[in-house]
Amino acid sequence: PAPNRSPSLQNQPMADEQVQALAQELWGDIDGVTVKSRKFGKGIVMSGMEMQEALDAIGLLPDCKLPADNSIHYGHRTLGTSQVYFVSNQTDKEQVVTPAFRVTGLQPELWSATTGDVRTLSGTPGEETTSVPLKLAPYESVFVVFNQPLKNTGQGSLEINYPEETLLSDFPEPWEVSFDSAKRGPKEPVKFESLIDWTELDNDQIKYYSGTAIYANSFEIEEVRNKRMKIDLGNLTSSAKVYVNGEYAGGVWTAPYALDITDWVKTGTNQLKIEVVNNWMNRLIGDQQLPEEDRPTWAPFNPYEEDSELQASGLFGPVKVTRVNY
């Protein structure tokens, strides 16, 4: 809206009169109701418009067009000639979206925010934007980077960006799980016929366990081909490290709980070890059931009671090894 007075306390009433004269020159017959805009010099004066109406009036496309429900957030930074977008799923559900980035002539790439892996994406180039199909796990964040000349001039495809995976092993055999006896876990390894939440077991050494547990199993690979292989841990609480044939393959702490293990897989039998660490709240809750003088744990502020809800802990799966051809 056009101003009608000066915020200054000096030179009144001349200051107000000067502001009104300048406003009349700029705003002219704009009243914000029947007349909402007019050109002035090289610019446009607008009043009485919603933001989207104003952006549409000047033909400005969104920097990154996303669903209107605010489920996906983004940030954008220009680094030299590269355009870097940070795209984040703000929900606890998988989201399939196709953001339209205000970038042309450059090839989209997916840069993993957790592993650093980089791979080419397919996109649909337009006159002013490039649309890129994305599949985001719950709370997953990724970088979509444009810094190479455009190679893919076809239609962007979710199937190309996230191809169907070939199952190599889903671990039908029982898991051997070792707990730390120094943290009051079982002294001997425990056989898990299926992957289950520790808090659902009757064994208090596992039910209230807080610390590291090591899951051991093996899987067979008939032939190591020139394709990528990955392991998907399904779900867990709260972080894990993966070892394949005794070599550290990486850690996970957020969805998707998956890692590329191609460099460590061999033809034949492969040994898998997963170190899972939970939080210490279950131990604090379990110790509330002991006499105060018998509680090994201590905290200056303990919000938990003996009947507080336990935190689901351990490796829940399903764990599977797949082959994928990007």
Side-chain angles (χ1 to χ4, degrees):
N4 56 20
R5 64 184 182 86
S6 167
S8 172
L9 299 179
Q10 293 184 332
N11 300 325
Q12 293 292 0
M14 292 176 56
D16 283 353
E17 293 171 355
Q18 187 177 10
V19 166
Q20 292 164 11
L22 290 170
Q24 177 59 39
E25 182 181 359
L26 289 166
W27 272 257
D29 58 351
I30 295 177
D31 59 9
V33 180
T34 57
V35 180
K36 295 185 177 182
S37 68
R38 69 185 290 256
K39 292 184 177 180
F40 186 89
K42 295 182 179 180
I44 303 174
V45 180
M46 297 178 174
S47 178
M49 289 186 178
E50 297 291 337
M51 179 62 75
Q52 190 61 53
E53 186 181 0
L55 294 174
D56 291 342
I58 64 174
L60 182 62
L61 295 174
D63 180 35
C64 177
K65 188 174 182 179
L66 291 163
D69 61 6
N70 206 35
S71 60
I72 310 295
H73 289 185
Y74 89 99
H76 177 199
R77 178 169 293 184
T78 299
L79 298 175
T81 58
S82 301
Q83 304 301 322
V84 180
Y85 289 85
F86 181 74
V87 184
S88 174
N89 179 5
Q90 299 291 299
T91 74
D92 61 356
K93 301 290 189 301
E94 180 181 88
Q95 297 285 342
V96 175
V97 294
T98 305
F101 300 96
R102 200 170 61 206
V103 178
T104 57
L106 295 175
Q107 182 68 45
E109 297 174 335
L110 186 75
W111 292 34
S112 170
T114 54
T115 66
D117 294 336
V118 177
R119 61 183 178 89
T120 300
L121 294 173
S122 72
T124 303
E127 292 184 2
E128 299 181 79
T129 63
T130 301
S131 299
V132 183
L134 297 176
K135 182 190 294 182
L136 300 174
Y139 299 117
E140 182 183 10
S141 298
V142 298
F143 291 98
V144 179
V145 179
F146 298 84
N147 67 347
Q148 301 292 334
L150 181 64
K151 295 177 289 185
N152 168 26
T153 57
Q155 294 290 314
S157 166
L158 188 69
E159 289 70 26
I160 293 175
N161 290 345
Y162 300 88
E164 185 175 354
E165 301 175 7
T166 302
L167 179 66
L168 301 180
S169 178
D170 58 359
F171 299 92
E173 299 300 322
W175 293 80
E176 184 178 270
V177 185
S178 301
F179 296 85
D180 186 353
S181 59
K183 299 290 191 300
R184 290 183 280 165
K187 292 183 179 181
E188 300 297 327
V190 180
K191 184 172 290 188
F192 279 35
E193 297 294 336
S194 62
L195 295 174
I196 189 171
D197 175 5
W198 299 344
T199 66
E200 295 181 10
L201 300 175
D202 293 331
N203 186 340
D204 285 356
Q205 287 184 302
I206 301 176
K207 185 174 185 176
Y208 300 114
Y209 180 79
S210 291
T212 301
I214 300 174
Y215 289 73
N217 212 322
S218 63
F219 60 97
E220 299 288 331
I221 297 295
E222 293 184 1
E223 181 182 357
V224 177
R225 300 178 182 177
N226 187 28
K227 292 183 179 179
R228 308 308 297 177
M229 281 175 279
K230 75 174 189 178
I231 186 167
D232 188 337
L233 304 186
N235 200 2
L236 57 92
T237 300
S238 59
S239 65
K241 292 181 177 180
V242 176
Y243 296 83
V244 178
N245 297 319
E247 298 292 332
Y248 178 59
V252 294
W253 67 96
T254 184
Y257 297 99
L259 291 168
D260 188 311
I261 57 173
T262 306
D263 295 341
W264 299 278
V265 175
K266 64 181 182 180
T267 299
T269 301
N270 292 264
Q271 301 300 322
L272 175 66
K273 184 176 74 173
I274 305 171
E275 294 184 358
V276 178
V277 183
N278 69 336
N279 300 316
W280 78 325
M281 61 183 291
N282 291 350
R283 175 57 68 202
L284 291 175
I285 294 169
D287 280 6
Q288 295 300 303
Q289 302 172 20
L290 303 175
E292 189 169 352
E293 62 272 12
D294 294 336
R295 299 173 188 172
T297 55
W298 175 88
F301 175 72
N302 185 355
Y304 305 111
E305 304 291 342
E306 63 178 79
D307 57 352
S308 295
E309 182 178 358
L310 295 173
Q311 180 191 55
S313 294
L315 178 63
F316 316 132
V319 179
K320 55 187 178 181
V321 175
T322 61
R323 178 180 288 123
V324 57
N325 184 24
Y326 290 119

